[in-house]
Amino acid sequence: MDKIYLDHAATTPIKQEVVDAMYPYLIGNFANPSSVYQIAQQNKKAIDESREVVAKCIGAHANEIFFTSGGTEADNWAIKGVAEAKKDKGNHIITSKVEHHAVLHTCEYLEKHGYEVTYLDVDEFGRINIEDLKNAIKPTTILITIMYANNEIGTIMPVAEIGEIAKANNILFHTDAVQATGQIKIDVHKENIDLLSISAHKLNGPKGIGCLYIKRGVKIAQFMHGGGQERGQRGGTENVAGIIGFAKAIELAYEQMDDKVAKYTAYRNKLIKGVLEKVPHAFLNGHPTERLSNNVNIGFEFVEGESLLLLLDMEGICASSGSACTSGSLDPSHVLLSIGLPHEKAHGTLRFTLGEGTTESEIDTVIEKLPAIIARMRDMSPLYEDFIKTQK
Ligand SMILES: *Cc1c(COP(=O)(O)O)cnc(C)c1O
């Protein structure tokens, strides 16, 4: 691909090593892992080894990993599964206003079915306030679900503190770690995480596979009813090649994490600095330091993000104006509104998310091309014209 692809929060390219690992399971051993003959049992064994690999990356045990079709399913399962399993204890769930739609829409669904949800506000950087969390807890609270790192603005939540509070109050803690996995060293035991969602395609693995970590002893309701796969917790013939690819991808991601994070951080800081220096009336969204190493989210006043994306695309630059899910709709992102941006500022936002293939010369190209694109758009903007008049 000769494009400058800077949208790795939306999805990442699959690695050659991952494809190579999957290949024998796609065209070679096709047997159903539930069958009794040897070739089937070989597939079952390969799945169990993959489970081991995934578990190790987050400090879990293999029997705490349940493969799902991805991050969305893992989020749905965690939240609905706890809601159902704990309904005798209570009906109250605490989350934040900046969650991914897989969490937010699941919570909204549960509200229609008798559950009560508190959506915590976030500060200007996108972090929840720990005191707010403590104050939101009620005797009926059964679940706290707060993301590890935000997919739009990259802000990292105070996960360990949240885990401590959840534990002290005997409340289950789920975290959507889809963006954090592979960039942050996660330790589910140290951080008191009971449930955690991962998706393979966000870490250079295949699409349509991920997992939910469920801490040993935590009982949640089954989500997919069917055969006895995943120890009776998630029916459906296993996505064998997907599971193998997921394990390979996460293993490589953790092996290469330190180098990758160092590289991303340097490029990220260069991109932020370069753009903010060259483009007037631009501002960084998200936390200056507590942010994912690969996330750059910058707002530009007097321009419209969607049109910016089209002009960038014409220059061969793939970025996002919020999250992939909100592109194509005119509502500004719920995350940007939650950090306090007014609608007109939220509209002019670009997200660049770096990945393994990102080079310094790509970053330089963006820094070089963006100012002219923004200037061109502002020249056509009546809002900018009005603003300039007030300056004279
Ligand atoms: C991408 C993403 C998801 C959804 O994962 P899928 O595997 O695409 O279903 C959930 N949460 C976050 C934070 C994400 O970035």
Side-chain angles (χ1 to χ4, degrees):
M1 197 157 52
D2 55 354
K3 299 279 181 194
I4 297 182
Y5 182 79
L6 292 172
D7 201 15
H8 292 84
T11 195
T12 57
I14 191 165
K15 274 195 163 113
Q16 186 63 50
E17 295 103 301
V18 172
V19 176
D20 291 346
M22 292 170 73
Y23 198 67
Y25 297 90
L26 287 168
I27 64 153
N29 189 352
F30 59 86
N32 189 321
S34 298
S35 300
V36 293
Y37 29 83
Q38 280 181 35
I39 53 168
Q41 289 305 303
Q42 282 164 14
N43 277 349
K44 188 174 180 303
K45 189 161 165 271
I47 292 174
D48 289 340
E49 284 164 8
S50 298
R51 205 184 299 284
E52 208 55 76
V53 169
V54 174
K56 222 175 130 194
C57 291
I58 58 167
H61 301 288
N63 62 6
E64 296 174 314
I65 300 296
F66 297 83
F67 291 114
T68 65
S69 65
T72 301
E73 185 189 322
D75 286 344
N76 269 262
W77 182 14
I79 298 166
K80 291 175 191 164
V82 170
E84 193 181 330
K86 297 276 177 199
K87 63 173 182 271
D88 292 338
K89 186 193 167 199
N91 69 340
H92 181 232
I93 295 168
I94 300 172
T95 186
S96 82
K97 287 189 177 166
V98 295
E99 299 297 310
H100 189 273
H101 283 144
V103 168
L104 282 182
H105 290 167
T106 302
C107 287
E108 286 163 16
Y109 165 84
L110 287 174
E111 281 184 291
K112 294 197 195 103
H113 292 269
Y115 289 86
E116 186 196 351
V117 182
T118 299
Y119 299 89
L120 295 176
D121 283 322
V122 294
D123 63 18
E124 60 182 313
F125 303 119
R127 294 187 114 208
I128 62 151
N129 178 309
I130 289 293
E131 289 309 309
D132 289 352
L133 172 63
K134 286 183 186 162
N135 292 334
I137 293 172
K138 309 177 183 201
T140 52
T141 308
I142 51 175
L143 177 70
I144 296 169
T145 172
I146 307 267
M147 69 202 318
Y148 209 115
N150 189 270
N151 47 300
E152 291 190 39
I153 55 175
T155 299
I156 299 164
M157 289 287 191
V159 171
E161 284 175 76
I162 299 168
E164 214 156 281
I165 290 163
K167 189 181 175 196
N169 289 276
N170 199 21
I171 297 166
L172 292 175
F173 174 35
H174 166 250
T175 188
D176 174 340
V178 171
Q179 292 291 336
T181 311
Q183 284 195 60
I184 294 174
K185 290 194 175 86
I186 296 171
D187 187 323
V188 287
H189 292 292
K190 255 194 220 139
E191 294 166 301
N192 290 308
I193 298 165
D194 298 298
L195 302 133
L196 178 140
S197 307
I198 305 179
S199 174
H201 77 95
K202 302 286 176 79
L203 39 89
N204 302 97
K207 292 172 179 62
I209 186 75
C211 75
L212 180 64
Y213 151 81
I214 308 176
K215 188 180 177 167
R216 209 183 272 171
V218 169
K219 296 266 180 298
I220 73 170
Q222 194 177 339
F223 185 55
M224 296 283 259
H225 298 88
Q229 292 91 350
E230 300 299 299
R231 294 191 302 297
Q233 291 303 296
R234 200 271 183 185
T237 300
E238 295 89 340
N239 176 359
V240 183
I243 290 169
I244 304 293
F246 175 22
K248 191 69 188 171
I250 196 169
E251 184 178 35
L252 292 171
Y254 274 84
E255 263 170 34
Q256 300 160 358
M257 184 157 67
D258 292 345
D259 291 344
K260 222 168 49 184
V261 166
K263 175 182 115 167
Y264 292 170
T265 306
Y267 290 1
R268 176 195 75 188
N269 293 347
K270 182 173 190 184
L271 184 53
I272 292 172
K273 190 162 169 275
V275 172
L276 293 184
E277 269 173 15
K278 288 200 172 184
V279 182
H281 314 298
F283 52 93
L284 179 70
N285 292 312
H287 202 283
T289 52
E290 290 298 313
R291 80 185 291 134
L292 289 174
S293 59
N294 76 332
N295 176 290
V296 174
N297 188 309
I298 297 181
F300 301 95
E301 290 186 69
F302 320 110
V303 292
E304 210 274 306
E306 295 294 313
S307 330
L308 258 181
L309 285 187
L310 296 177
L311 292 179
L312 283 170
D313 188 29
M314 284 163 67
E315 300 282 349
I317 299 167
C318 307
S320 159
S321 65
S323 77
C325 318
T326 48
S327 296
S329 98
L330 282 176
D331 292 333
S333 126
H334 65 284
V335 176
L336 298 174
L337 295 179
S338 298
I339 60 172
L341 291 190
H343 278 240
E344 66 276 13
K345 276 190 165 184
H347 269 303
T349 285
L350 286 181
R351 178 187 73 182
F352 299 101
T353 40
L354 324 184
E356 295 198 0
T358 304
T359 63
E360 189 158 14
S361 87
E362 291 180 338
I363 299 296
D364 292 338
T365 303
V366 176
I367 296 172
E368 183 196 310
K369 294 202 164 160
L370 195 56
I373 293 175
I374 306 259
R376 214 169 107 200
M377 283 191 63
R378 282 179 178 161
D379 281 347
M380 299 185 292
S381 156
L383 283 175
Y384 189 59
E385 207 176 309
D386 291 347
F387 170 76
I388 292 300
K389 278 183 199 145
T390 67
Q391 300 298 296
K392 284 185 180 150

